[in-house]
Amino acid sequence: MKNYSLGHLADHVLLRELAAIVSQDRSTTATLLAHLAEVDKRKLYLPAAYPSMFAWCLGELHLSEDAAFKRIRAARTAREFPALFAALAEGRLNLSGLLLLAPYLRPDTADELLSAAAHKCNAEIEVVLAERFPRPDVPSLVQAVSARRSGDQLAVRPVVPSVAAEMPLRMDPLPTAPRARVAPLSPEQFALQVTIDQATHDKLRRAQELLGHALPSGDIAEVLDRALDALLAQLEKRKLAATSRPGPRRRSESVRHVPAEVRRKVWQRDGGQCTFESDRGKRCEARTRLEFDHVDPVARGGQAGHAAQVGPAGIRLRFQPCRAEETDAAPEPATQPRAAHPGRG
């Protein structure tokens, strides 16, 4: 019996074997789709007493309904556009990405779309499609949805433009699907779908009322835009010390204090992104849960203090888990507990 316990593997061996397995899985997926396409073409499910390819996949291959539907559709698409087989096998495209492209593939567009979608995630492929096949804006709509018992989720279905109603975004209740979605419709236009509770709904209505003179239409997109402007200004002031009128520098006795002036410069210099880099030079992409971290860690005896001592050159942005990974080997003294506040290093 195969041993699935891998605790004995060294890190580099584990990563090497995983990369090889992923590559093999891609090739296997392409080969699987090629076989499904040929079985479908020959209608070999009929002699096996199945009325459809879908029923055959469920009964003979024991695939789930979802897996069968997706693979049959992908196989039929790849049979029509054989370049998709190689794209899957080589990892330039995954199965979900293929299904996103499927409705838009034509003999005159397939090569260009496949090239544009290469090595992109689903969200990036959706942007590629929105740029080339723009859809009309969705109507603003607020609609009550039925209450679900604990454990159920509300799913988002694509919004189809219809008669405009009052406020955003329709959602139909289905189990096991994400609660919210932002989908590109056309260049620089997105559809937002989200479920809100009664309190949030009331706040939205109240904002419309208070903006009655400045925004007579009560347009929800504009209300959200103004609300986000106000929220971002508040958050940036608190977390980044952002201000158009910097005040006098404040002194602090804490060895971990990072002055507001330094925080502003570090955030701008690092582009609001974690600065950790892997051994291969890849920079961490995290832009949330960032902390101002001393280059020479306090926990290891490094000099910390005010801007005059450290300055922007001695501070960097770090994603909290990246920072923890670096400092785990040298726990901080109990008299100097690590602070999670984004303005501390």
Side-chain angles (χ1 to χ4, degrees):
M1 182 176 179
K2 186 176 179 61
N3 181 16
Y4 292 100
S5 177
L6 306 178
H8 64 285
L9 295 180
D11 290 353
H12 72 282
V13 175
L14 178 64
L15 293 173
R16 184 183 66 224
E17 291 189 359
L18 178 59
I21 292 169
V22 169
S23 178
Q24 182 182 8
D25 181 65
R26 291 167 177 161
S27 178
T28 300
T29 297
T31 303
L32 169 63
L33 294 184
H35 281 72
L36 288 177
E38 190 63 23
V39 170
D40 186 38
K41 179 182 178 181
R42 300 184 189 185
K43 293 182 169 50
L44 296 182
Y45 51 85
L46 293 176
Y50 288 95
S52 67
M53 185 66 182
F54 181 78
W56 182 81
C57 285
L58 266 58
E60 293 296 317
L61 303 184
H62 306 294
L63 298 180
S64 69
E65 290 85 349
D66 185 61
F69 174 80
K70 289 181 177 179
R71 281 156 182 76
I72 292 171
R73 187 179 183 190
R76 289 173 176 172
T77 303
R79 186 176 68 196
E80 186 176 357
F81 302 97
L84 293 171
F85 289 121
L88 286 169
E90 296 166 9
R92 288 181 282 119
L93 189 68
N94 57 45
L95 184 60
S96 296
L98 187 158
L99 294 174
L100 285 174
L101 293 178
Y104 302 93
L105 293 174
R106 302 289 184 276
D108 58 334
T109 65
D111 290 342
E112 193 275 333
L113 276 179
L114 188 56
S115 176
H119 301 295
K120 286 184 168 58
C121 66
N122 288 357
E124 292 170 328
I125 292 176
E126 288 178 338
V127 172
V128 168
L129 294 173
E131 290 172 347
R132 289 159 175 77
F133 307 97
R135 292 177 289 170
D137 293 351
V138 299
S140 293
L141 170 68
V142 165
Q143 178 173 319
V145 295
S146 59
R148 309 290 291 183
R149 295 187 180 274
S150 60
D152 289 348
Q153 290 185 343
L154 294 175
V156 180
R157 287 181 174 174
V159 176
V160 179
S162 59
V163 179
E166 294 182 359
M167 291 171 41
L169 310 180
R170 177 171 181 167
M171 295 181 59
D172 294 322
L174 285 176
T176 64
R179 287 184 176 272
R181 176 173 169 79
V182 177
L185 295 174
S186 59
E188 300 186 3
Q189 296 292 107
F190 297 81
L192 169 67
Q193 300 183 11
V194 63
T195 297
I196 58 177
D197 59 19
Q198 184 65 51
T200 304
H201 173 273
D202 294 344
K203 293 174 186 176
L204 190 56
R205 290 297 195 192
R206 182 62 175 154
Q208 283 181 306
E209 294 166 358
L210 294 173
L211 286 169
H213 290 290
L215 193 63
S217 67
D219 181 70
I220 299 305
E222 182 66 23
V223 172
L224 291 176
D225 184 64
R226 295 190 182 208
L228 288 172
D229 281 343
L231 177 62
L232 287 172
Q234 182 183 40
L235 292 175
E236 289 174 354
K237 181 178 180 180
R238 178 167 62 87
K239 290 180 174 291
L240 318 179
T243 178
S244 58
R245 301 175 62 183
R249 182 181 300 167
R250 297 180 180 179
R251 301 288 297 178
S252 172
E253 298 302 323
S254 171
V255 295
R256 300 178 180 283
H257 177 68
V258 180
E261 178 185 1
V262 173
R263 280 187 278 158
R264 286 192 291 269
K265 291 181 179 179
V266 170
W267 188 271
Q268 183 176 14
R269 182 199 65 204
D270 295 345
Q273 180 179 340
C274 178
T275 56
F276 176 80
E277 291 188 359
S278 70
D279 294 338
R280 296 190 295 176
K282 182 185 182 304
R283 183 176 176 182
C284 177
E285 300 175 358
R287 292 182 176 274
T288 186
R289 294 173 59 193
L290 300 179
E291 298 180 354
F292 292 92
D293 182 48
H294 285 82
V295 175
D296 193 8
V298 179
R300 298 178 184 175
Q303 183 186 25
H306 309 292
Q309 297 171 294
V310 179
I315 304 296
R316 60 195 175 186
L317 285 179
R318 276 288 197 266
F319 181 41
Q320 197 279 331
C322 291
R323 181 184 178 193
E325 182 73 15
E326 292 178 316
T327 58
D328 273 349
E332 299 183 31
T335 55
Q336 296 178 352
R338 180 185 301 169
H341 191 282
R344 301 178 185 272

